Amino acid sequence: MPTRYVESSRLPTAWGVFDIHGFDDLEANKEHVVLTMGDVGDGEPVLARVHSECLTGDALFSLRCDCGNQLEAALKAIAEEGRGALFYLRQEGRGIGLLNKIRAYKLQDAGADTVEANEQLGFGADMRDYSVLKPMLEHLKIKQVRLMTNNPRKVAALESAGVAITERIPLRTDSNPHNEKYLQTKGSKLGHFFGH
């Protein structure tokens, strides 16, 4: 199997104590984690978020995107419910990697939008691969989710992995002068839906 479970441990956070589960993606040579709270394998729909790594937004507090805000909102929502799962996939920059993301930022500084910048670098608009989710979901025995997302590709990816999506919950975050164009492009070119 290209993706294998490695180990689990407790992870105290500002929102509560989660369990962190590590997975090794042998095919892509990447390590992914899932944070869970409560019993997620009981067959009932699980509040879930599939989050792709964004070092600049998640850890360095960049205002160019809404990634860090979405990550925090998802962890807070799971903690408030006392049950849920956050899949943290190592797919930086929509799958193009950190250094190429910085190159894309430079092109955006010159006027390109986020999709145009990726394409000018020779990549697709979104290079992420969600197939890695299937073995992770199977290991955690998650079959139904209430998915926190604005991204229709994530809905399709989970459905193709055999997961029933019982509800889609939009993640609303505030815009700022640095990410207004980015958010508009996600809606107009990538089909993200921000309403109910």
Side-chain angles (χ1 to χ4, degrees):
M1 178 181 281
T3 301
R4 65 183 181 88
Y5 165 74
V6 178
E7 190 55 275
S8 298
S9 177
R10 291 173 65 251
L11 186 72
T13 74
W15 302 277
V17 179
F18 288 81
D19 290 313
I20 184 167
H21 312 273
F23 293 84
D24 194 1
D25 181 353
L26 302 172
E27 203 167 272
N29 194 28
K30 292 184 178 176
E31 298 166 337
H32 308 285
V33 297
V34 185
L35 272 62
T36 62
M37 184 178 280
D39 183 0
V40 296
D42 62 2
E44 293 298 312
V46 174
L47 182 64
R49 163 89 179 145
V50 176
H51 190 89
S52 293
E53 177 183 36
C54 176
L55 179 73
T56 49
D58 297 341
L60 301 177
F61 314 106
S62 169
L63 296 177
R64 295 186 81 130
C65 62
D66 59 345
C67 303
N69 291 338
Q70 287 188 336
L71 178 62
E72 288 190 25
L75 289 171
K76 182 179 177 191
I78 291 169
E80 285 174 352
E81 189 152 307
R83 180 174 174 273
L86 184 132
F87 296 79
Y88 196 89
L89 305 182
R90 306 295 297 280
Q91 303 190 103
E92 182 75 48
R94 291 204 192 107
I96 68 173
L98 179 60
L99 299 182
N100 282 321
K101 181 164 95 169
I102 294 170
R103 291 183 179 104
Y105 279 172
K106 181 72 171 174
L107 293 171
Q108 291 170 41
D109 290 342
D113 67 33
T114 182
V115 170
E116 292 163 349
N118 277 21
E119 291 172 345
Q120 286 174 28
L121 290 171
F123 299 108
D126 192 337
M127 303 291 291
R128 290 175 290 187
D129 177 8
Y130 296 110
S131 63
V132 70
L133 288 169
K134 187 171 175 124
M136 299 164 87
L137 290 157
E138 288 173 352
H139 176 80
L140 296 167
K141 298 180 172 58
I142 295 174
K143 304 217 181 285
Q144 301 182 80
V145 297
R146 295 164 46 232
L147 188 64
M148 293 182 280
T149 189
N150 303 326
N151 186 345
R153 287 193 69 225
K154 290 181 185 174
V155 173
L158 285 171
E159 289 175 342
S160 71
V163 176
I165 297 174
T166 62
E167 182 182 4
R168 184 194 66 81
I169 302 166
L171 275 177
R172 302 182 197 289
T173 60
D174 293 332
S175 64
N176 65 68
H178 304 283
N179 72 9
E180 283 176 348
K181 184 176 179 182
Y182 166 82
L183 294 174
Q184 289 168 357
T185 302
K186 287 207 319 190
S188 64
K189 292 192 174 181
L190 298 173
H192 287 219
F193 29 58
F194 296 99
H196 287 290

